[in-house]
Structures are given as structure tokens and as C-alpha cells.
Amino acid sequence: MKPFVFLITCFSTMTIFSQNSVLPLWPKEIPNSIKSDEIEEIVNENILRISKVQTPTIEVYLPAKKIATGQAVLIFPGGGYGILAYDWEGTDFAKLLNSKGIAGIVVKYRLPSSKSATEKHKVPLQDAQRAMRLVRSKAMEWNIDSNNIGIIGFSAGGHLASTLGTHYNEAVYAKQDEIDQLSARPDFMTLAYPVITMGEINTHGGSRKNLLGENPSQKMVDHFSNELQVTVDTPPTFLVHATDDTAVPVENSLLFYAALRKSKVAAEMHIYPTGGHGFALGLSDPHLASWTDQWIGWMSGLKP
């Protein structure tokens, strides 16, 4: 059977269910964006893959008020900074979070591989910072505690999450409105089989190439090697990885955990012997599938 492929230029106006909404990130001009003939593409073949993102958005899943905990998690799907595994590492997790009383917000962020992007290395972080500020601005409306908003990222989305967690104060775009006065710092973060380092030994080559280009300077490599950017103000972090991950070596999580320990940042890490890369909910392995229980338990123990 041929995959179901369709192109969409107005995904930001789509509403999936009555309680879920899709909001554009940028009220005015999208920073570091130029007009091109590129069209956003969505391919649905087992996994919903979005590429060539033109209009970055957040898709908001809110739990029933009766069970709402006040927590919220922004979700950054992975895909090597070339595509977004939008349901596998996005909406599936938003639905899981809702069942636990937690708001789940999927971020459809721009990809540096798009020819509509200028200063390509900046665009994912621009969208991530704006997404955090936008969610924080909606806290009262969405029954969310503005001091209990975290993030989760997978693979390259884990690199973006760890970049937001360590570069949240970096001025990467000009302020557009009062929302941009709010903090972009996550209150906690979860990194699932994340790309952390841009150093050649342990990085994921595709993510590095898409984000930084073919021959990045050492300064750029160091800047986006997030194990080098951890400080005492880095948010508490939960890490999960599989030892047999051949795409993104487990050393990425180990490096970040060591940096967190050095800066005395609260951290929890789960390393599974098997699981490979991109296991998401891990439902194919009963042992691996327990990681989401550990994650939800960790979040429930955090104090805003």
C-alpha cells in the first residue's frame, strides 16, 4: 500500500478535538524566515512525519479539569532536525500526559534543514523559547501553574530541549509583544535518548549536519554541545536511554548527567540494556515500557 501523503500550508488553523487547539507561535513575522517555494509536507506511514515546517505551532492537549494537576509539559518530537515524528514522539505523549492530569503541548518547530530558514542554527531555539513563553502566558486560561511547566524532547528533539534548558536566556530573536517579556526557562526537563553533544565522537551526524552545517567552527560546536552549557540554574532533569542505541550513543546522556552532577542539579537517569533508538513509549518491551511510569512518578514528586 502506498503511503498517504498530503501537503498542508495552514496546519496552524486545524483543531483536532474540541478541547485541543493549534496556535501559531508568532503573531507577526516569523524570525529568520524567508519566502520560498517550499511547502510543508506531512507523510503518514505508520508514523506521522512532518518536514519542511513553514508555520511553527503548538498543539494543546488539556486534561479534564477534575483531574488537572496544574503541571504542563511541552513536547519536542525528534527526527534528526530533518523531520518531526509528530505522533510517535508528540501527540501520543500528550494523550498519555492528559490521562495523568498533565497538560501536553506538542511543539511543531521549524527545522534547520528547511530552505525557508536563514541563520538555520537559530530557528529551533527561537521556536522553543517562544513556545515556552506562549504557554506561560496562557497558564491561567489553561488551568496551568506557571511555575510548573516542563519540557520533554526525543533524540534531536532532546537536543533542542536541552538547548532550551541551557540557553533559555540567550537572546535569539527580537521581542514581538508582551509575551516575550516572560521567562523561557523550563521548570524541569526530560531528555529521551537525546542528542547532547556536537563533538564528533559521540554526536548524531545527521542532527549535527542539519543544525550546524558541513564544517562548523569549534566555537559553534562547543556552543551547541549542551553538556558544556550546564550551570547551577539548569532545570532538574530526567534522562532515559538504551545502552544498545547505535544512532545516538548512550554517552550523550552520560555526559549530560555528569555535567548536572558537577553543577549539583537534581537529576534522575534510567539506562536500559536494550531498546535501541527511538523507542518512544517502549510498548514493545514490558520492561522498557515501565520508563513512562518512572517519568510520571518523578514529575509528581517535583515541587514548584
Side-chain angles (χ1 to χ4, degrees):
M1 180 181 294
K2 292 183 178 180
F4 176 45
V5 181
F6 63 94
L7 303 179
I8 186 165
T9 58
C10 55
F11 189 67
S12 62
T13 64
M14 182 176 64
T15 299
I16 308 302
F17 301 110
S18 60
Q19 72 180 107
N20 305 327
S21 58
V22 177
L23 303 177
L25 288 181
W26 301 99
K28 300 176 183 177
E29 292 184 358
I30 300 172
N32 285 73
S33 179
I34 56 173
K35 290 184 179 180
S36 75
D37 59 359
E38 192 172 67
I39 300 174
E40 191 166 299
E41 183 174 329
I42 299 178
V43 177
N44 193 353
E45 185 183 24
N46 298 322
I47 295 175
L48 185 65
R49 294 176 171 89
I50 302 179
S51 60
K52 303 174 184 177
V53 173
Q54 303 298 301
T55 304
T57 62
I58 53 172
E59 183 171 350
V60 183
Y61 286 72
L62 300 178
K65 285 189 176 181
K66 188 174 181 179
I67 64 168
T69 65
Q71 272 190 325
V73 176
L74 278 69
I75 305 165
F76 298 96
Y81 281 129
I83 62 103
L84 303 178
Y86 194 77
D87 54 355
W88 184 251
E89 295 170 345
T91 54
D92 285 355
F93 280 83
K95 295 168 187 175
L96 171 65
L97 289 165
N98 275 190
S99 73
K100 306 297 182 180
I102 302 168
I105 296 104
V106 186
V107 184
K108 187 185 73 169
Y109 57 91
R110 286 173 296 156
L111 299 160
S113 53
S114 170
K115 68 180 184 180
S116 298
T118 63
E119 289 189 285
K120 296 176 183 293
H121 63 281
K122 287 186 177 181
V123 295
L125 181 57
Q126 289 174 334
D127 290 350
Q129 285 189 359
R130 176 68 186 187
M132 176 58 71
R133 290 173 171 134
L134 179 57
V135 172
R136 197 156 263 141
S137 76
K138 297 287 188 179
M140 184 174 295
E141 178 182 342
W142 292 345
N143 196 30
I144 291 170
D145 181 346
S146 62
N147 296 313
N148 206 353
I149 303 173
I151 57 177
I152 183 171
F154 303 83
S155 192
H159 183 267
L160 177 54
S162 67
T163 303
L164 180 59
T166 54
H167 298 253
Y168 54 85
N169 270 335
E170 188 174 324
V172 291
Y173 66 88
K175 292 179 172 61
Q176 294 195 4
D177 54 23
E178 67 278 0
I179 291 173
D180 287 326
Q181 304 297 329
L182 299 174
S183 172
R185 180 185 182 273
D187 294 301
F188 55 93
M189 63 179 172
T190 299
L191 308 175
Y193 39 89
V195 179
I196 293 294
T197 187
M198 288 288 121
E200 290 187 11
I201 295 176
N202 289 310
T203 194
H204 176 250
S207 297
R208 169 177 152 139
K209 179 180 176 182
N210 282 333
L211 184 65
L212 303 183
E214 289 278 4
N215 298 296
S217 67
Q218 190 60 49
K219 181 179 180 180
M220 189 74 76
V221 168
D222 290 347
H223 188 69
F224 285 98
S225 290
N226 292 326
E227 77 278 13
L228 303 179
Q229 308 304 327
V230 172
T231 71
V232 294
D233 295 320
T234 299
T237 302
F238 182 102
L239 295 126
V240 61
H241 219 123
T243 303
D244 66 347
D245 189 334
T246 57
V248 178
V250 70
E251 281 76 12
N252 281 267
S253 285
L254 298 175
L255 285 166
F256 202 73
Y257 180 75
L260 292 167
R261 284 197 63 200
K262 184 176 180 181
S263 290
K264 295 181 171 54
V265 175
E268 181 170 327
M269 180 169 61
H270 294 261
I271 303 297
Y272 289 83
T274 58
H277 187 70
F279 52 76
L281 292 168
L283 298 181
S284 61
D285 181 334
H287 179 53
L288 186 59
S290 68
W291 88 262
T292 56
D293 293 331
Q294 302 298 325
W295 170 49
I296 299 291
W298 174 78
M299 285 193 294
S300 68
L302 296 171
K303 298 187 185 303

